[in-house]
Amino acid sequence: MAGEPPGIARPGSRGLAVTRHTGGNGSGAAFLALSGTLLAAVALSISTGSVTIPLRKIADALLHGGDDTPARILLSLRLPRALLGVLVGGALASSGVAFQALLRNPLADPYILGVSGGAAVGALTVALFLAAGASPALPLFAFIGAALAALSVFLLARRKSGVSPERLILMGVVVGAFLNAVIMLMVTLSPPGKIPGALYWLMGDLGLGTPRRVGVLLPYVALGVAVLFLLSRGMDLLLLGDHAAFQTGLSVERVKTATYLTASLLAGSVVAVSGLIGFVGLIVPHGARALVGSGHRRLLPAAFLLGGAFLVISDTIARSASPAGELPVGAVTALAGAPFFLYLLRRNGGRS
Amino acid sequence: MTMRDDRGVDVRLPVSPRRVVSLAPSLTEVVFLLGRQDLLVGVTRYCNFPPTAASLPKIGGVSDPDVERVVSLAPDLVLCTTDGNPREKVRALEETGIPCFAVAPQDLSSVFATIERVGALLEAAERGRAEAAALRRRADRARSAGKGDGSPGPRVLFAVSTSPIIAAGSGTFMDEIVRLAGGRNMAAGYSGRYPRLSVEDLVAARPDVVFVAGMAGVERFPEEVRRWKEIPAFRDGDVHTLDGDVVTRPGPRLVAALEQVSAVLGAWRASHRESPGPGPGGSR
């Protein structure tokens, strides 16, 4: 299991090659390959760590549980971390798909409209004024910050005639710049020692994946992804432009509002448990589009699977590759992901 | 007087200094140790020891000293460090004609040497030698107290942050202190000075004793880390908080830190000689 590199490490190999054809059969094969990749990524992740656990023991612990040290390492450290990676990666990629459709912009990602800045201000507020280090209030405040920022961008961008992608992006940039200034001030004016914990946290970390956190995040991600999936036809039409979407009888503004709020809250809830992990929400949607085409009914699930697999593998690299201890997973997502997705996008002749 | 500093610069003092600015908390502590605090006209906002140091005029921080303010204090000597003060700021001061003496202590013995050299600069050479000798004696005593019967000492984690877990690795004063006190730093094998560790890394390395460099907000490990009773230090409650300032500043109080660590490790040895722990453990 661990010896066999998962499909994602060799994208040219069988499974993914079929998916050049994005029609019915092709996308079926693509989903099979993506699901297999995700499973392989989780398997790789839970068989990697500083404690050596034999494969037989891993299988035994997964099937029958157990209370000895290896079983507890597997069940309460590695498995929750891998599952958290699946949820976070999948949610970021799904949210990225939604923002790219909503804003009709290939550069959109879950953080573009203030979510990251809001979450950071929320986290730093806890570190500065409540308790330094990893306070239990930190995720809550990060979520509140993200939701407030996303909401204010939306309200600022809205006019009587509705919201336009251009105004959303503009307001997102303005609110983001303002929040960045607030962050800089908070970091500069804070007494020494208060901030590092929060900053590390913001850099993105799956290390706090506990069974409880996975359980807390699961309903948010399940609900968010399900709502986005229900909106997938609406997103297809949004891509045609407001006018065309309107002509099909779609309530454009309602779809936009629902997409925006769902994608923002999805990103906010993920940020609250894992900090800011970049690159996944930006580039995985493009990778998934290259595999299954741009119809959202296929694209959303594909992006979820690919994002989950990608983040789990990145996290495995982050915690095992360096002799200097753990690396920030956000650095690995961009470092390892950029070449792979460049390959994927070029192979498809920029069709994405 | 001319003396070569740790940058290799020959610092020339036309007269013996009457107005001194310290750009590092460790150097402020050294000046106080030498009894020459009357010369200090400016310190950093982090200079909080001894407590009276905090009431001296502030010239900014260690990494961001306010050059104008330093110049306005008209010092005839600035004491600075190479690994905390930005080189450009020191150069800017030197360009205004203020002599800057930079130190770069890497280990305990060079801290003692620094005390002697600053003593010589501040017309307290005698006092400097005496204080350094006293500190050397205390360090030697703590070291031999920590050295046990030749059996491998306890495995030690020295955490500078608990969430995320960041350990003091090789090349830090904390690593040297643990080694001198007869412990084995579990983070010494990592390549960086401050490696970031996962809970599983701790379970694999099983530290017997944990020290936390107490700074704002890092004193306590979260429950999800502490509940791993496979880690002897958490199982036995062998977790100790040391003043973060004391263990990270290359100043005279490092010896006090060494004494504390040595006492804890000595107690660990004593209790484990009577009742040998539950098996050799170690990473499997």
Side-chain angles (χ1 to χ4, degrees):
Chain A
M1 183 158 36
E4 174 107 20
I8 202 164
R10 294 179 294 136
S13 65
R14 288 149 281 140
L16 298 187
V18 183
T19 60
R20 271 176 187 284
H21 324 284
T22 53
N25 282 338
S27 75
F31 278 110
L32 215 60
L34 283 171
S35 310
T37 306
L38 182 62
L39 277 178
V42 170
L44 177 73
S45 171
I46 62 174
S47 52
T48 308
S50 44
V51 175
T52 311
I53 303 175
L55 287 183
R56 175 195 291 269
K57 175 71 212 169
I58 292 178
D60 188 52
L62 288 179
L63 292 175
H64 309 298
D67 203 35
D68 52 345
T69 305
R72 291 179 58 227
I73 287 176
L74 277 170
L75 298 177
S76 59
L77 287 179
R78 291 190 191 169
L79 190 60
R81 186 166 181 158
L83 294 180
L84 193 66
V86 173
L87 290 181
V88 169
L92 286 174
S94 308
S95 173
V97 167
F99 274 116
Q100 288 175 4
L102 175 70
L103 302 176
R104 291 199 291 270
N105 189 329
L107 291 179
D109 79 350
Y111 303 140
I112 194 170
L113 297 184
V115 164
S116 58
V121 170
L124 292 176
T125 304
V126 174
L128 278 183
F129 301 112
L130 297 176
S135 157
L138 208 143
L140 178 68
F141 273 69
F143 178 74
I144 293 173
L148 282 180
L151 196 65
S152 43
V153 167
F154 188 76
L155 293 179
L156 285 168
R158 199 169 61 164
R159 285 174 158 171
K160 278 199 202 81
S161 52
V163 289
S164 71
E166 293 74 23
R167 277 184 68 82
L168 272 176
I169 293 180
L170 197 59
M171 290 306 162
V173 168
V174 172
V175 170
F178 177 78
L179 291 172
N180 270 339
V182 174
I183 294 166
M184 274 195 275
L185 278 181
M186 289 173 97
V187 170
T188 313
L189 299 180
S190 70
K194 282 245 178 198
I195 289 290
L199 286 185
Y200 266 109
W201 181 86
L202 279 174
M203 276 162 73
D205 187 10
L206 297 176
L208 292 173
T210 59
R212 198 177 59 83
R213 280 207 178 78
V214 174
V216 168
L217 184 62
L218 182 61
Y220 288 93
V221 172
L223 191 70
V225 170
V227 171
L228 287 182
F229 187 71
L230 292 178
L231 289 165
S232 54
R233 192 184 121 76
M235 286 187 228
D236 287 344
L237 295 172
L238 282 183
L239 279 182
L240 301 173
D242 287 4
H243 195 61
F246 182 74
Q247 283 182 333
T248 63
L250 187 75
S251 169
V252 180
E253 288 312 315
R254 264 196 165 135
V255 168
K256 282 203 273 194
T257 307
T259 305
Y260 179 82
L261 293 181
T262 311
S264 295
L265 293 181
L266 191 57
S269 58
V270 162
V271 166
V273 293
S274 65
L276 297 169
I277 299 174
F279 197 74
V280 181
L282 172 67
I283 213 72
V284 168
H286 295 291
R289 223 170 267 130
L291 294 173
V292 301
S294 47
H296 285 86
R297 204 165 274 277
R298 291 194 303 273
L299 178 54
L300 274 166
F304 187 92
L305 294 171
L306 185 59
F310 174 58
L311 188 58
V312 169
I313 291 171
S314 298
D315 182 56
T316 308
I317 296 172
R319 64 193 167 84
S320 62
S322 162
E326 286 198 27
L327 305 171
V329 66
V332 178
T333 52
L335 210 62
F340 168 59
F341 285 101
L342 270 182
Y343 165 80
L344 205 59
L345 297 175
R346 280 195 65 89
R347 204 189 61 156
N348 279 270
R351 182 166 49 79
S352 169
Chain B
M1 177 173 50
T2 301
M3 193 185 289
R4 176 162 295 189
D5 75 1
D6 286 345
R7 294 172 298 177
V9 173
D10 290 314
V11 180
R12 215 178 72 80
L13 301 179
V15 292
S16 69
R18 285 284 155 264
R19 299 176 62 82
V20 176
V21 167
S22 159
L23 297 189
S26 57
L27 287 163
T28 302
E29 291 188 28
V30 168
V31 175
F32 270 85
L33 180 77
L34 295 165
R36 299 300 269 149
Q37 58 271 27
D38 51 312
L39 300 181
L40 282 175
V41 293
V43 296
T44 73
R45 63 169 167 268
Y46 303 111
C47 294
N48 54 2
F49 189 89
T52 45
S55 56
L56 289 167
K58 300 285 180 285
I59 52 81
V62 174
S63 59
D64 56 340
D66 185 337
V67 173
E68 277 191 26
R69 187 145 341 146
V70 175
V71 173
S72 73
L73 292 168
D76 42 23
L77 173 64
V78 167
L79 297 171
C80 54
T81 72
T82 55
D83 67 357
N85 304 131
R87 195 182 304 183
E88 321 79 76
K89 301 260 182 182
V90 175
R91 189 164 301 149
L93 286 169
E94 284 175 321
E95 271 164 19
T96 69
I98 301 171
C100 294
F101 189 85
V103 302
Q106 302 299 319
D107 51 23
L108 273 176
S109 60
S110 55
V111 169
F112 304 145
T114 298
I115 292 169
E116 291 172 332
R117 295 164 73 206
V118 175
L121 279 177
L122 302 184
E123 288 188 309
E126 190 99 357
R127 175 87 178 258
R129 277 194 296 275
E131 294 289 353
L135 289 171
R136 282 195 189 95
R137 272 196 305 278
R138 279 171 60 194
D140 284 342
R141 214 176 307 135
R143 185 158 43 178
S144 47
K147 283 271 153 52
D149 43 18
S151 64
R155 283 179 298 268
V156 175
L157 165 69
F158 212 127
V160 295
S161 160
T162 53
S163 182
I165 305 165
I166 301 176
S170 53
T172 62
F173 287 103
M174 287 157 272
D175 175 66
E176 190 192 9
I177 285 175
V178 167
R179 229 172 335 105
L180 292 177
R184 291 178 287 158
N185 184 0
M186 62 154 276
Y190 292 88
S191 62
R193 290 212 299 165
Y194 292 100
R196 178 171 165 179
L197 308 178
S198 67
V199 178
E200 191 178 329
D201 291 334
L202 298 199
V203 177
R206 295 174 185 241
D208 299 300
V209 181
V210 171
F211 292 102
V212 180
M215 291 178 255
V218 303
E219 282 88 357
R220 251 174 109 68
F221 281 93
E223 170 56 27
E224 59 218 39
V225 180
R226 271 180 291 144
R227 71 193 172 89
W228 283 88
K229 302 304 179 199
E230 281 83 353
I231 301 169
F234 292 126
R235 182 192 64 213
D236 304 336
D238 229 341
V239 181
H240 308 265
T241 303
L242 298 177
D243 186 341
D245 287 348
V246 174
V247 292
T248 52
R249 286 181 189 173
R253 289 191 293 164
L254 275 179
V255 173
L258 171 60
E259 287 168 340
Q260 279 176 290
V261 170
S262 184
V264 168
L265 298 192
W268 184 91
R269 277 176 184 284
S271 67
H272 285 74
R273 209 163 357 206
E274 290 148 22
S275 60
S283 56
R284 287 181 289 166

